[in-house]
Structures are given as structure tokens and as C-alpha cells.
């Protein structure tokens, strides 16, 4: 970014603020200022340069030039993949074929020293704003927020997104895919929408607001409206690609000279790993050699490509990962299948990215498009357990029991009947040549990802490699500088605070340029590190332990590319220097207080319940609502009441929250009131006696008692008909842990179905008046005593 532009803009801001202050003061003391003075002082339009007569014939007309963008300004595309490690894709030596990304890199640049934050929302917040994640209040997720500046999940408007900046520079702005930056309390159909994509600078948005979605049955929003994708069998990545191409085609049909910005953020390769069989079958047998041979093959290819230094040696396996050759044949068969599906998932995503690239080529826009691809928002996922996840299992099961169940269901992996994540051994392999993985902010395996930059107009060294130290907060200022945009000093009325990233434009055509980004901190759930001039100190925090007792390590990355040699004992003074620097950065960027998720201090009344509602009524005229609208608080008592008129033979779903993999459904079938409570590994259905016809009140009551483990008994569930208890059964803790991010259906069960007791959406055929949902804090709540 050109500092002259920033300096001029700041000066303009100060002048505008001074003028606004003087105008306000003038108004207070009763001074009159003419409209012309007001307009000339701080109205952004140009002073009128025509002549106004008493009629149009006597008027010399003049029109302001309202074109904001620079002539020939390039289009901009940012692509952010999810949970893809450094050693996964072929572009950086991995064994997953990504010909589109290969081509972009071969005609662009590979950045080999690029870093993310080690986890999802913080990476997205930092990328979009060009500021550090804690600095924009996104130290973790919006749904784990606490009342502290670095973690409250409310990104300040004083720190504009790239979309807000480029829109002020005459761009159309579009986002498709994953967002995961909206505070939960704002994530309903009534907003507020100022922290949705369309509230943070995007003209249009199509995607999902949360951290993950079913790729076959996505929870999809368009702009600020919930939409149901047609039942056409399309994959979610295909849907967002269709929408991205539609946005571009529409814009270029109307104004071909106007540039656009596209933020393309698919769910891949975050779990659930779901893809059509034709893609996973391409890899059948390709991973039978296992993760140890994978690492060796990838390292050799990485050295050949030049994306790791010659002489790089693999670190030992991560803790708990078994040698592949020590596994049973059944384990090898299962684990290889998990990786085949993941690889197909990523390759399919590459194909869909190729559709966007090919469309730009078709309409003669590709050569005037600047593309950044962050191959992952963190390292490969550590959430798949040692034996992989196919669907939710009983938490009391051993790894051996989970393995047996996964083998039984092996053919489901990747289908709509699964929510897979591969075993940890493959996460280790996908991060080759680094140790550790996602979440580990102390390690390169958690924070180092491939970066591809493609810009035919600006890159003179296509296929080049850049090793300058970079962080994703650098992409925004790089974009601004390369497209010759200006950063407004005021955006939507908010005076802007400084951008914290460093433009990489200096390195685009200068491979030997020294790094300008020389200090960078990291922190996720207590694991933390600090980088300065090639040295790095960090600590892998163990949840539940005192932060003050964390053990720090020290590495010289200039000589030790993948952190194999801890120098903390050899250079204690350097370690102390970096620890003190971390403290300084922490104070500056809102990193403190540290938290690791074990504190049990989440305030669900602030996170999820709009206006702290303890009781809400839902009406059948609205078929589906965001689950965030529900007053149900996880691990608390609650009541769901349906008021209806039952005609003879009436049946169907009254209310459902969730879907195939977890949720609760209230329905009438065979003349009886029934409720299914499904947590994936345990499903129970309780049934009433035959119901009367006519007006009826049907109530489902969960009375929760504190329990230690998810499988422990934790109270009861009961059915009431006209306030008379008609059925009761025990529940385990997991059955009271309703997820607020699941969708609510009223009068049917949309998307996927909670219960296997009915088929399809099973709409209610009687007359449903309303549904009342109350939590344990409701003053009107009666748990039923009759």
C-alpha cells in the first residue's frame, strides 16, 4: 500500500472531523451556515460547476463524474480453502491432484512462508480486515465469545473489510460459501444484518453462516434470507460456483468496464468430507501405502518443486500416531478410504474453482484479474480422532468400538448418510513437512499454509517462488496497492483505524527482497507463539492447566525450517526476549485474557438468545427459522408446547429442531403424540396414548439434572396431553445438549429428518395454531405436575 495515499486520507479525515465539529458547535450557538458551505466542507460530492437558471432553457447542466474505479482496474478474486494442510495439494508437492491450482501457481507465484491464525473464524476475520484476529475481536469463534475485547465476536466497524474498501473504490462485491463471522444473536431472519456479509461490504452473498454444513443438504442463506436449495442432488461447492459465475456474468453484462471483487470460500476440506463417488473413486488404492509413505513421497516432491529447502528432514510422527505398518489390514482399509474421500473432496473443489477461472477466460477477463488463493485457513484438521469419524458415536465407546462401527459403515463415507473426518494420521501427513496440526498456534503445522498469487498484468516471473515471511493480514494491503485503490478514512460514518498487515507488492517482482513483515503473534485457546526476524518462541497449552506453567520452546526458523530443534535451553535470553515481546503484543492487540474453553463461563443468554428471550412462540406461516432463534439453552431444562386442532387421521410433524444427525422432533402418527430425541449415537422415541380429536395442547418437557459425562443419566423427558402426563423416560446428558445452530422447522421437518419414524418432510395435516418454546429461566414455565 502506498503510504502517501494513507497519509493524505488521514489528513482529509482530520479536516472532515474538524469541520463536522465546527459545524456542530456553530449549530449549538445558533450560527447559520448556508447549504453551499455545508456541501463544500464535508459533502463528498463535487461542487456544482454548471449554471442554474429559472428554467431548464436558461440552465447550463453539469453532471458529476460518479465513476469511482480507476480505468482498467483489475477484478479481484480471493479464494480461501478450509482445513487443507501444507502437504495436501499437488501444487505444493501433495498427492491430491489440483490441476487448476497448479496452473494458477505455474502462471503466478507460490509463497512458501505464508501463515494463517491456526483456526477458522480468526483467520477469516484477519484476512477480510487486514488486521490481527484479536484486534478485530475474533480471538476464537463468535459462538464461543466472552465479554472481553479480543473475544466478543463483534468485528469493529472502525476496521473495514476489503469488500467495504473496494466498494468505496467502485467495485461490485460478492461473497459465496462459508462466513462464520456473524455473532449468534444476530444470525436470524430479523438480524441485525450489519455483521452479515451484506452488512460488511458485500453487494450479494450466497452460503452458510456457521462453521460447517452438510455438503448435500446445506443450510443456505442468500443475502439475508434463508433459502432451500432445490432437490437436484448438487453438491454445495457446485452451488456456490454456479452463483459466483452468475454474479460475474450479470455484472459484466451490465457494465463490462466495472471491476468486481469475489470472495470464494467453500466448505472444503472441512468436515463433513462429502463428495460424489466418482471423485473419491479416482483415488481408490492411491493411499494404500499409508501416511508414512505419503510423507516421504510428498517431502521428496516438495524439495523437487522448491517449496521446502533442500535437506529438509521429516520430524517424528505426532504423539499417538501409529506406524502404518503396525495397523491391522482392516484399519488400513478403513483409514485409506477416509483419505480417498477427502482427496476426492479437495479435487472436486479444485474443479469448481476451475469453472470460475474458465468463465473469466471465456469472457476475456482472466488476464485482468488478480487472484489470491489461501490453501487452507489453518493446518490440517486435528478433529478426526485416531480412528476417524464417520458419524457420532457413543462417547463411552473405546477406539476399538468406534473402529468396529466405522468398518461396518465404510461404504457410507462421503455420502449424505455420513459426517466424516479422516484419522489424525492423515492430518499429520497432509501437513508435511511440519509437525502438529490445526488449532496449534505454537506450531508451523497449525499456521503455515500455501499461498498462490496470480496476476498476469503484474507478475513478471510466472512460476516463481517467494519465501518472504507473510501472514494473511498482508493480503488486504497487497490487494489495495496492486489495484491502486485508496483506503477511505471514513467508511459508513466510522473513522478507520490503521491496517495492521504489510503489503507484499514489494516481493511480487523481487524474489530476493528481504521480508518486511518481521513480527507476528499467534494465539488459539491458550496455545501461543511469537515470531521475530526468523526466531520463534511458542508453547502448546494443555487444556485445563495453568497458563503460567506452560512450557515454551524456541526455534531458529532461518536454520530449522520445520521446528525440529528446540533451542530454549541453549538460548534462554532469546526466549525471554520473545516472551516479553509476546506480552507486549498481547497488550497491544487484545490477546489477554487467555482462555482454553474449559472455564465454563459462556453466557448463552448473550450468545444465542435474542434480547434474552426465555419464551418464544413460533407460527406455522413461517416454515423454517434459524435455530439461534430458539430459547433453548444447552444443558438446561426446557418445554416445547404445540397448540393444535386434530381432525380424524391428522398426522405429521409439529415442530423439529436439527436433522438426521441430531435434534428433537414432535409429531403425530397413528393418532398418537410422539417425540424423537436424536443425538446420533442414541435415539429415543416416546409415545402417548391415542389422542382425542378437536383442540389439544401437546407438551414435551425436558427436566435436566447436572451430569458429568454425555452418556450419564441426566433427568427425564415427558409428554403431556392437555396438561396430563402421559409418558416419561430417562435421558442422558447428550440429549439435553441441543445445538442452537440447528434449524427449526414448524409444521414439517425440512432439510434432513430428525426421526426415522417417518419419511420425508412429513407435513402436519391438522391445524397447527402455534408452538411455544420456553427455557428454564422463563417465569411462565411450568414443567407439569399433574
Amino acid at each position: 500500500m502506498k503510504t502517501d495515499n494513507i497519509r493524505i486520507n488521514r489528513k482529509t479525515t482530520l479536516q472532515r472531523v474538524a469541520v463536522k465539529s465546527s459545524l456542530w458547535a456553530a449549530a449549538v450557538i445558533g450560527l447559520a451556515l448556508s447549504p453551499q458551505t455545508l456541501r463544500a466542507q464535508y459533502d463528498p460530492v463535487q461542487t456544482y460547476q454548471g449554471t442554474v437558471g429559472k428554467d431548464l432553457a436558461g440552465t447550463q447542466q453539469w453532471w458529476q463524474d460518479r465513476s469511482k474505479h480507476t480505468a482498467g482496474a483489475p477484478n479481484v478474486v480471493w479464494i480461501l480453502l478450509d482445513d487443507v494442510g501444507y502437504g495436501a495439494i499437488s501444487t505444493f508437492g501433495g498427492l491430491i491432484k489440483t490441476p487448476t491450482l497448479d496452473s494458477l501457481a505455474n502462471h503466478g507465484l507460490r509463497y512458501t512462508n505464508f501463515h494463517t491464525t491456526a483456526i477458522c473464524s480468526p483467520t477469516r476475520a484477519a484476512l477480510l480486515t487486514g488486521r490481527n484476529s484479536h484486534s478485530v475481536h475474533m480471538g476464537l469463534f463468535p459462538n464461543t465469545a466472552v465479554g472481553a475485547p479480543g473475544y466478543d465476536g463483534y468485528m469493529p466497524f472502525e476496521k473495514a473489510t476489503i469488500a467495504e474498501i473496494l466498494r468505496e473504490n467502485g467495485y461490485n462485491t460478492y461473497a459465496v460459501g462459508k462466513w462464520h463471522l456473524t455473532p449468534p444473536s444476530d444470525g436470524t431472519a430479523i438480524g441485525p444484518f450489519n455483521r452479515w456479509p451484506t452488512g460488511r461490504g458485500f453487494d450479494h452473498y450466497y452460503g452458510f453462516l456457521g462453521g460447517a454444513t452438510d455438503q448435500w443438504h446445506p443450510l443456505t442463506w442468500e443475502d439475508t434470507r434463508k433459502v432451500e436449495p432445490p432437490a437436484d442432488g448438487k453438491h454445495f461447492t457446485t452451488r456456490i460456483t454456479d452463483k459466483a459465475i452468475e454474479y460475474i456474468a450479470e455484472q459484466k453484462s451490465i457494465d463490462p468496464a466495472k471491476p468486481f471483487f469475489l470472495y470464494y470460500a467453500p466448505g472444503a476440506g472441512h468436515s463433513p468430507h462429502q463428495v460424489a463417488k466418482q471423485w473419491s473413486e479416482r483415488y481408490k488404492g492411491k493411499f494404500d501405502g499409508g501416511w508414512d509413505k505419503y510423507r516421504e513421497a510428498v517431502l521428496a516432491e516438495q524439495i523437487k518443486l522448491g517449496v521446502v529447502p533442500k535437506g529438509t528432514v521429516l520430524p517424528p510422527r505426532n504423539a499417538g500416531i501409529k506406524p502404518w505398518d503396525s495397523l491391522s489390514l482392516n484399519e488400513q482399509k478403513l483409514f485409506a478410504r477416509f483419505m480417498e474421500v477427502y482427496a476426492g473432496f479437495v479435487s472436486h473443489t479444485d474443479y469448481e474453482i476451475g469453472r470460475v477461472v474458465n468463465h473469466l477466460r471465456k469472457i476475456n477477463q482472466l488476464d485482468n484479474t488478480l487472484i489470491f488463493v489461501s490453501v487452507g485457513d489453518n493446518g490440517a484438521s486435528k478433529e478426526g480422532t485416531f480412528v476417524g469419524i464417520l458419524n457420532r458415536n457413543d462417547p463411552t465407546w473405546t477406539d476399538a468400538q468406534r473402529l468396529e462401527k466405522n468398518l461396518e459403515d465404510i461404504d457410507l463415507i462421503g455420502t449424505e448418510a455420513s459426517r466424516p473426518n479422516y484419522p489424525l494420521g492423515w492430518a499429520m501427513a497432509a501437513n508435511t513437512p511440519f509437525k502438529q496440526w490445526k488449532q496449534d498456534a505454537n506450531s508451523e503445522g497449525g499456521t503455515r499454509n500455501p499461498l498462490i498469487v496470480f496476476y498476469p498484468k503484474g507478475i513478471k516471473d510466472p512460476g516463481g517462488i517467494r519465501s518472504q515471511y507473510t501472514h494473511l493480514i498482508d493480503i488486504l494491503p497487497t490487494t489495495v496497492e496492486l489495484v491502486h485503490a485508496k483506503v477511505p478514512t471514513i467508511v459508513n460514518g466510522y473513522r478507520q483505524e490503521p491496517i495492521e498487515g504489510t503489503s507484499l507488492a514489494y516481493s511480487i517482482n523481487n524474489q530476493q527482497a528481504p521480508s518486511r513483515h518481521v513480527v507476528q503473534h499467534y494465539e488459539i485457546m491458550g496455545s501461543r507463539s511469537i515470531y521475530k526476524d526468523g526466531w520463534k518462541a511458542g508453547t502448546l497449552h494443555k487444556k485445563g492447566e495453568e497458563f503460567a506453567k506452560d512450557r515454551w520452546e524456541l526455534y531458529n526458523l532461518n536454520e530449522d525450517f520445520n521446528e525440529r530443534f528446540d533451542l530454549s535451553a541453549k538460548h534462554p535470553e532469546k526466549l525471554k526476549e520473545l516472551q516479553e515481546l509476546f506480552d507486549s503484543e498481547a497488550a497491544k492487540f487484545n490477546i489477554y485474557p487467555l482462555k482454553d474453553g474449559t472455564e465454563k463461563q459462556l453466557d448463552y443468554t448473550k450468545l444465542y438468545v435474542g434480547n434474552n428471550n426465555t419464551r418464544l412462540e413460533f407460527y406455522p406461516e413461517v416454515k423454517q427459522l434459524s435455530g439461534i432463534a430458539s430459547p433453548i439453552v444447552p444443558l438446561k431444562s426446557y418445554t416445547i408446547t404445540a397448540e393444535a386442532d386434530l381432525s380424524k387421521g391428522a398426522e405429521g410433524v409439529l415442530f423439529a429442531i436439527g436433522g438426521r444427525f441430531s435434534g428433537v422432533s414432535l409429531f403425530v402418527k397413528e393418532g398418537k403424540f410422539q417425540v424423537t430425541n436424536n443425538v446420533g449415537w442414541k435415539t429415543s422415541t416416546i409415545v402417548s396414548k391415542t389422542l382425542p380429536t378437536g383442540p389439544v395442547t401437546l407438551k414435551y418437557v425436558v427436566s435436566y439434572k447436572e451430569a458429568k459425562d454425555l452418556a450419564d443419566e441426566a433427568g427425564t423427558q415427558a409428554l403431556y396431553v392437555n396438561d396430563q402426563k402421559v409418558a416419561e423416560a430417562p435421558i442422558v446428558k447428550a440429549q439435553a445438549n441441543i445445538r442452537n445452530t440447528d434449524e427449526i422447522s414448524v409444521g414439517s421437518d425440512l432439510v434432513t429428518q430428525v426421526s426415522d419414524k417417518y419419511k420425508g418432510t412429513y407435513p402436519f395435516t391438522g391445524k397447527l395454531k402455534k408452538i411455544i418454546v420456553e427455557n428454564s429461566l422463563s417465569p411462565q414455565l411450568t414443567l407439569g405436575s399433574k
Side-chain angles (χ1 to χ4, degrees):
M1 186 187 307
K2 294 182 179 179
T3 55
D4 289 345
N5 287 341
I6 297 175
R7 191 175 297 115
I8 291 170
N9 287 339
R10 286 178 178 166
K11 180 179 179 182
T12 305
T13 298
L14 293 174
Q15 290 172 341
R16 287 177 178 170
V17 170
V19 169
K20 286 180 106 173
S21 300
S22 64
L23 293 173
W24 173 252
V28 170
I29 62 175
L31 296 178
L33 293 174
S34 69
Q36 291 82 2
T37 302
L38 284 168
R39 187 161 51 245
Q41 290 295 323
Y42 74 100
D43 206 4
V45 302
Q46 300 171 24
T47 302
Y48 186 70
Q49 297 175 22
T51 302
V52 177
K54 289 187 176 181
D55 57 23
L56 194 56
T59 298
Q60 180 185 347
Q61 297 186 48
W62 176 84
W63 294 91
Q64 178 185 356
D65 181 8
R66 299 183 182 276
S67 176
K68 294 182 178 180
H69 61 83
T70 304
N75 309 303
V76 178
V77 178
W78 285 8
I79 299 170
L80 178 62
L81 302 187
D82 201 336
D83 285 6
V84 180
Y86 193 88
I89 67 170
S90 55
T91 318
F92 275 69
L95 303 188
I96 299 174
K97 300 302 181 184
T98 51
T100 300
L101 299 184
D102 293 352
S103 178
L104 290 176
N106 291 339
H107 293 86
L109 298 172
R110 290 171 172 86
Y111 278 80
T112 62
N113 204 357
F114 173 71
H115 296 79
T116 57
T117 70
I119 209 163
C120 172
S121 297
T123 283
R124 292 160 203 275
L127 171 66
L128 288 170
T129 64
R131 283 92 167 181
N132 289 288
S133 56
H134 298 79
S135 181
V136 290
H137 298 210
M138 202 66 67
L140 199 52
F141 309 124
N143 51 302
T144 59
V146 297
Y151 302 94
D152 65 24
Y154 282 82
M155 289 166 53
F157 298 119
E158 292 82 1
K159 299 181 181 184
T161 68
I162 183 65
E164 290 169 315
I165 292 169
L166 291 182
R167 187 155 71 177
E168 288 293 316
N169 283 270
Y171 279 68
N172 281 119
T173 54
Y174 309 113
V176 295
K178 177 174 172 176
W179 182 244
H180 209 193
L181 295 173
T182 298
S185 59
D186 294 2
T188 73
I190 63 168
F193 300 116
N194 54 358
R195 285 184 170 86
W196 288 50
T198 53
R200 293 311 308 257
F202 290 99
D203 296 334
H204 291 292
Y205 169 70
Y206 182 87
F208 62 97
L209 293 179
T213 196
D214 190 302
Q215 300 295 312
W216 298 117
H217 303 282
L219 301 177
T220 311
W221 295 82
E222 185 159 13
D223 296 336
T224 60
R225 300 301 299 171
K226 182 75 175 60
V227 294
E228 282 304 312
D232 53 12
K234 280 188 179 180
H235 193 276
F236 176 72
T237 311
T238 302
R239 294 189 191 282
I240 66 169
T241 304
D242 289 348
K243 188 61 68 171
I245 292 172
E246 177 187 327
Y247 288 150
I248 295 168
E250 182 178 61
Q251 193 238 27
K252 293 303 179 185
S253 296
I254 297 170
D255 188 350
K258 189 175 184 181
F260 69 82
F261 168 62
L262 171 66
Y263 174 52
Y264 182 97
H270 195 291
S271 64
H273 301 161
Q274 297 168 315
V275 73
K277 196 171 183 179
Q278 70 188 76
W279 287 96
S280 58
E281 287 299 300
R282 297 183 181 196
Y283 289 96
K284 192 164 186 63
K286 300 294 185 183
F287 304 111
D288 289 354
W291 44 64
D292 293 325
K293 289 184 178 178
Y294 180 101
R295 294 174 80 204
E296 294 169 0
V298 169
L299 178 60
E301 185 63 21
Q302 289 174 330
I303 292 173
K304 180 180 176 182
L305 283 173
V307 296
V308 306
K310 292 180 180 179
T312 299
V313 175
L314 290 172
R317 297 181 197 89
N318 291 345
I321 304 299
K322 296 178 181 178
W324 183 263
D325 290 343
S326 72
L327 302 176
S328 69
L329 292 178
N330 276 340
E331 286 175 311
Q332 291 180 353
K333 174 185 175 182
L334 173 68
F335 296 169
R337 182 58 184 160
F338 272 114
M339 187 59 176
E340 290 167 6
V341 170
Y342 176 78
F345 189 23
V346 174
S347 283
H348 173 254
T349 304
D350 178 83
Y351 169 79
E352 295 295 340
I353 294 170
R355 289 180 57 213
V356 175
V357 172
N358 287 334
H359 179 72
L360 293 172
R361 182 180 290 111
K362 170 187 168 184
I363 63 174
N364 298 315
Q365 292 289 329
L366 184 60
D367 287 345
N368 192 35
T369 300
L370 169 63
I371 301 176
F372 288 89
V373 186
S374 176
V375 185
D377 54 351
N378 41 246
S381 172
K382 67 182 289 185
E383 288 128 13
T385 78
F386 289 112
V387 298
I389 294 173
L390 201 157
N391 279 316
R392 291 184 180 180
N393 296 138
D394 186 327
T396 65
W397 284 4
T398 64
D399 276 354
Q401 289 172 303
R402 292 191 186 94
L403 177 67
E404 182 180 352
K405 179 62 176 172
N406 287 349
L407 279 165
E408 180 183 326
D409 294 336
I410 189 171
D411 291 336
L412 297 179
I413 300 174
T415 70
E416 64 178 358
S418 67
R419 296 185 64 80
N421 200 346
Y422 56 21
L424 283 169
W426 287 119
M428 171 192 68
N431 277 337
T432 301
F434 303 108
K435 60 184 180 181
Q436 300 309 112
W437 30 48
K438 175 181 176 180
Q439 299 184 22
D440 295 344
N442 63 302
S443 169
E444 296 292 288
T447 64
R448 192 180 299 215
N449 289 88
L451 175 67
I452 301 165
V453 180
F454 173 87
Y455 190 32
K457 281 184 17 176
I459 293 174
K460 299 176 182 178
D461 177 26
I465 291 175
R466 299 292 181 267
S467 59
Q468 287 86 358
Y469 189 90
T470 57
H471 189 272
L472 53 87
I473 61 175
D474 300 336
I475 293 179
L476 183 149
T478 308
T479 299
V480 169
E481 181 168 351
L482 291 178
V483 305
H484 304 292
K486 295 180 180 179
V487 179
T489 52
I490 296 177
V491 175
N492 298 327
Y494 292 90
R495 184 179 180 183
Q496 293 301 292
E497 296 181 9
I499 290 169
E500 294 162 9
T502 302
S503 173
L504 299 174
Y506 72 92
S507 66
I508 294 291
N509 290 310
N510 188 349
Q511 183 179 15
Q512 303 304 320
S515 297
R516 295 184 184 179
H517 191 138
V518 295
V519 174
Q520 183 59 47
H521 63 267
Y522 301 86
E523 188 280 333
I524 297 293
M525 291 184 283
S527 291
R528 53 207 188 274
S529 62
I530 184 77
Y531 168 91
K532 183 184 178 185
D533 294 326
W535 286 87
K536 180 179 173 184
T539 178
L540 178 62
H541 174 71
K542 186 176 180 180
K543 285 189 174 184
E545 295 190 353
E546 295 180 31
F547 296 109
K549 294 182 179 179
D550 289 340
R551 181 186 174 278
W552 286 68
E553 297 176 346
L554 177 68
Y555 298 96
N556 182 354
L557 299 183
N558 295 320
E559 301 174 358
D560 181 17
F561 177 77
N562 54 347
E563 301 174 307
R564 294 175 58 231
F565 303 106
D566 177 12
L567 303 178
S568 57
K570 187 176 181 180
H571 297 287
E573 72 292 341
K574 174 60 76 171
L575 177 63
K576 184 174 184 293
E577 172 195 335
L578 291 178
Q579 287 174 316
E580 290 173 351
L581 178 60
F582 181 87
D583 274 341
S584 173
E585 294 285 289
K588 182 178 179 181
F589 293 109
N590 300 331
I591 298 175
Y592 292 142
L594 298 175
K595 66 186 187 75
D596 64 8
T598 64
E599 295 85 1
K600 296 184 179 180
Q601 293 176 348
L602 290 181
D603 187 347
Y604 285 102
T605 65
K606 296 291 190 295
L607 290 178
Y608 289 103
V609 185
N611 300 318
N612 297 332
N613 288 316
T614 59
R615 181 183 189 273
L616 283 177
E617 298 181 1
F618 301 126
Y619 304 100
E621 290 78 10
V622 180
K623 301 299 183 185
Q624 192 174 49
L625 293 162
S626 170
I628 294 166
S630 169
I632 295 173
V633 177
L635 302 179
K636 299 289 183 182
S637 299
Y638 65 89
T639 294
I640 304 172
T641 303
E643 295 183 4
D645 279 334
L646 294 181
S647 55
K648 186 176 180 180
E651 62 179 4
V653 174
L654 301 160
F655 174 89
I657 180 169
R660 175 187 286 120
F661 301 103
S662 68
V664 171
S665 176
L666 285 66
F667 56 98
V668 176
K669 184 179 180 183
E670 298 172 347
K672 299 175 182 179
F673 177 35
Q674 306 187 36
V675 175
T676 294
N677 190 317
N678 171 15
V679 294
W681 54 272
K682 182 179 180 63
T683 299
S684 64
T685 300
I686 53 176
V687 184
S688 76
K689 296 178 181 178
T690 301
L691 294 170
T693 57
V696 65
T697 299
L698 307 175
K699 185 179 294 185
Y700 174 62
V701 177
V702 169
S703 302
Y704 175 71
K705 292 195 309 182
E706 185 62 43
K708 182 179 179 181
D709 297 318
L710 288 175
D712 292 346
E713 190 169 320
T716 61
Q717 55 183 340
L719 303 185
Y720 290 79
V721 176
N722 295 330
D723 288 331
Q724 297 291 326
K725 185 188 290 186
V726 295
E728 186 174 43
I731 59 169
V732 297
K733 181 176 182 178
Q735 290 179 291
N737 193 29
I738 298 297
R739 299 194 315 164
N740 300 79
T741 52
D742 286 333
E743 298 301 285
I744 291 171
S745 298
V746 182
S748 63
D749 189 359
L750 299 174
V751 192
T752 63
Q753 285 65 58
V754 173
S755 179
D756 60 4
K757 302 296 183 181
Y758 49 83
K759 300 294 184 183
T761 61
Y762 201 41
F764 182 59
T765 59
K767 183 179 180 181
L768 178 59
K769 298 177 182 177
K770 63 181 177 181
I771 298 290
I772 304 167
V773 181
E774 304 168 90
N775 66 34
S776 58
L777 301 177
S778 172
Q780 302 176 49
L781 179 65
T782 56
L783 294 179
S785 58
K786 297 180 181 180

